[in-house]
Amino acid sequence: MDFPAAPLRSWAVERQVATHMAGSAGTPGTPRVLRAMNDRAALDLLLEHGPLSRTRIGKLTGLSKPTASQLLARLEAAGLVLMTGTSEGRPGPSAQLYVVNPAAAHVAALDVTPERILAAVADITGRTVGEHRLSTPGRRPSQPVVRQVTDALEGAVKAAGLAVSDVHRVVIGTPGAFDPNTGRLRYASHLPGWHTPTLLDELAAGLPMPVEYENDVNLVALAEQRLGAARGHTDFVLLWNEGGLGAALVLGGRLHRGWTGGAGEVGFLPVPGAPLVRQVTKANSGGYQELAGSQAIPRLARELGVTDVPSGPYTEVAATLVALGADSTTGPHRRLLETYATRLATGLAALVSVLDPELVVLSGASLTAGGEPLRTLLQAELEELAASRPRLAVGDVREHPVLRGALESALATTRDEVFDTSR
C-alpha cells in the first residue's frame, strides 16, 4: 500500500521503498544516491531471503562481486548487517553468509481496547522480542491514559531486555480514529479516557520516541497486505467483526481514511432487517452492528433454537457459535451460520456496490471462526445481493492482528530511516 510520508503523530501506515529516497541527501543518479539505493535493495533482500552470501546478493541485485563486497563492507561498518557463519552442503568452498543486524533498531506497538492494552517490541527484522498485557477494566480508567500507555510499553520493553530509549518508534492502534482536523478520537465512545482534546500532545510529551496512531482495523488490513491474504492486492476491503464491526478500505494501493478518519466505520451503516438507529455516535452502534455484529450472534442463536449457547464474553461466545455452525451440515447450528451469512452479506453488498473492490478479506474472531463454510455461504449470498462480485478470502493473520499490523507500520517507517545510508 502506498501511504504518503507524514510527520510525528501521523496517521501514515506504510511507505513504498522508493519513496524514502525522495528525501535522501544528494541528487538522484549521483554515486552517493545510487549506492544508497543498492544498499537498501540488499537489505530488503536479506530481510526476505537471508542469510545470503556475497555472491547470492550480487546475483539478486545485478551487482558485480567487487561492488557487492564493497556494499557489504559498508553495511557492516554501519552496523546494519552481521556475518553469521558459512554456507555448507554445496559444491566448492563455503561462503560467508550475512544477515540484517537485528539490533540495528527496535520498534514498539500497542493494541488498545476497553479491557486491556497489548504491547509488543520487535527488532528491525520484525521478530517480536518482548510482549506485555496491561488490564484496563471498568468504564472509568483507574490511571490516566498516558500512564497506562507508558506502563504497557515499559512492560514490553522490560520483557525484551531493553530500555525505553532503545525503541525507535511506537505505533498505537485504537478503535475509531483520531480526527486529523481536531486531534480528538472519534467513533469510539466506548474507550474510556481517550477523548480528551490534549491527549495526543500529552502522549507525545510523555514518550521519548516518535508516536503514530492508527485505527485498529486499518492495521489489520496492513498486516494482511504485508503478511496474509491480501498480499499483492492494491484494491481490497477488509471486513472485521470482533468487538465491533468495521472495515478497512484500500483503493488503488492507498488506504482511504476519509475527511475525519471515519471511512470504514460500517457498523453505523443503516441496513434492511435492523431498526433505524438514530444518534449513532451516542449509542456507539448502528444498524449493521445490531444486525451482524458479534453481540447479535448469541441473541440470534437463541431465536433459532440453539440451546447450547455458552457463557462468557460475547466475542468468545459469538466465535464459538460460528465455529459450531461451520462444523455442522444440518440442524440449528447450520441455520445459524446461514442466517449470519445473510446478515453479513446485507451490509457488505452496500459496501462492495459502492467500492467495487477486487478482494474482500474476512477477519476478526466472529468471521475467521466460520472458516471456509462461512466464506462459501457469504460469497453465494453476496453474488445474489450485489452486482459487484469480489473474491472473498478468510484472513491469514490470526494471532493479535492489530498488534502485528502496528508493528509492521512502525517497521516500515523505521526501516526507511535506519536503512537510508545516504543520510
Side-chain angles (χ1 to χ4, degrees), residues 123-160:
D123 63 36
I124 198 67
T125 70
R127 182 174 66 95
T128 300
V129 295
E131 295 180 317
H132 183 71
R133 177 189 175 100
L134 178 71
S135 296
T136 56
R139 294 191 60 82
R140 294 180 179 271
S142 58
Q143 292 180 318
V145 165
V146 175
R147 183 73 260 170
Q148 293 179 10
V149 167
T150 54
D151 284 352
L153 177 61
E154 288 171 0
V157 167
K158 182 179 179 181

Side-chain angles (χ1 to χ4, degrees), residues 5 47 63 74 84 95 103 107 125 148-149 166 171 193 244 255 267 286 297 311:
L47 285 174
L63 299 175
R74 187 165 59 246
T84 178
V107 301
T125 70
Q148 293 179 10
V149 167
D166 294 322
V171 172
L255 182 67
I297 296 174
S311 59

